[in-house]
Amino acid sequence: ENIFIGRQPMKRGQIDWKSINRRASELMEGMGMAVDVTLPLSYYSIAVQQMVSIARAVDVKARVLILDEPTSSLDEHEVQRLFKVMQDLKTQGLGIIFITHFLDQVFEISDRITVLRNGHLVGNYDAGQITKLELVTQMIGKDMNEIFNLKRAEQKPGAKTMLEAEHIGIPGKVEDISLSVK
């Protein structure tokens, strides 16, 4: 079956919109979303648009789904809905590549983690076998001892003060802060 151009169902030489809309509704409901599939995609939020993209991949029986920073524009509820869909698709055998800079999400959703730095492979890790600190050290290219032993920049004698503030704050939130930047 051709899964790209020309895969739309036809009836008497015309596109069968009834079948297309029914299939689209089924796919969206399968992802826990009841939407009017006859409305333009631009009518919907970014979260719904992302789910539609995922539904398209499911419909063409994709084996791998690549999600590049899919949570950057989502609220927490939408992120959890996306993660639920990702877990469901994973159990159905779909491979998912999840690209993100949000480390908490990496550990929440990933089985394996691959670190790239400056376009080069640094390493592959089982998510349960690496700590966040170890992951960060792989990402920035410094070992844990270097990170823990970073010294404060030494002040140069006679350095000019660029900014100074004393006893500033916002009542009830942040109070009595003083700083001097050289």
Side-chain angles (χ1 to χ4, degrees):
E1 174 185 354
N2 185 351
I3 61 170
F4 299 105
I5 296 175
R7 69 181 188 91
Q8 67 275 4
M10 304 293 285
K11 193 175 196 177
R12 291 188 280 269
Q14 300 288 319
I15 294 175
D16 184 358
W17 288 106
K18 187 176 180 180
S19 293
I20 289 173
N21 292 337
R22 184 179 61 248
R23 176 68 180 147
S25 291
E26 289 169 358
L27 285 166
M28 295 306 291
E29 286 170 11
M31 292 194 300
M33 302 190 74
V35 296
D36 182 350
V37 297
T38 63
L39 292 174
L41 193 54
S42 60
Y43 176 82
Y44 290 105
S45 69
I46 291 173
V48 173
Q49 291 177 30
Q50 287 180 339
M51 292 297 188
V52 169
S53 294
I54 293 170
R56 286 180 185 149
V58 169
D59 191 44
V60 297
K61 297 174 179 49
R63 289 186 238 158
V64 177
L65 180 63
I66 301 172
L67 301 173
D68 188 1
E69 298 286 352
T71 62
S72 61
S73 299
L74 304 181
D75 65 29
E76 185 58 33
H77 175 73
E78 292 166 332
V79 168
Q80 291 310 312
R81 180 185 302 153
L82 174 63
F83 284 2
K84 166 90 170 76
V85 168
M86 289 171 64
Q87 291 287 3
D88 292 346
L89 293 174
K90 185 173 75 171
T91 61
Q92 295 171 26
L94 183 70
I96 300 173
I97 298 172
F98 179 64
I99 302 166
T100 187
H101 288 91
F102 299 117
L103 292 186
D104 289 337
Q105 292 178 1
V106 168
F107 283 93
E108 182 177 348
I109 196 70
S110 302
D111 295 325
R112 287 185 301 274
I113 299 169
T114 299
V115 177
L116 302 174
R117 186 175 58 248
N118 298 327
H120 298 284
L121 176 66
V122 173
N124 292 301
Y125 312 94
D126 287 332
Q129 302 298 315
I130 188 169
T131 66
K132 286 182 189 176
L133 183 58
E134 291 168 331
L135 182 60
V136 169
T137 64
Q138 295 303 309
M139 292 169 63
I140 64 174
K142 304 222 182 275
D143 71 22
M144 287 187 284
N145 290 331
E146 282 183 87
I147 293 171
F148 285 128
N149 293 326
L150 289 175
K151 294 182 179 178
R152 298 176 86 181
E154 292 183 26
Q155 283 190 12
K156 294 180 182 175
K160 181 180 175 186
T161 299
M162 303 298 291
L163 172 69
E164 189 166 7
E166 292 186 9
H167 307 293
I168 61 172
I170 301 170
K173 294 186 179 186
V174 178
E175 296 185 22
D176 197 27
I177 294 176
S178 298
L179 62 98
S180 176
V181 179
K182 298 190 186 273

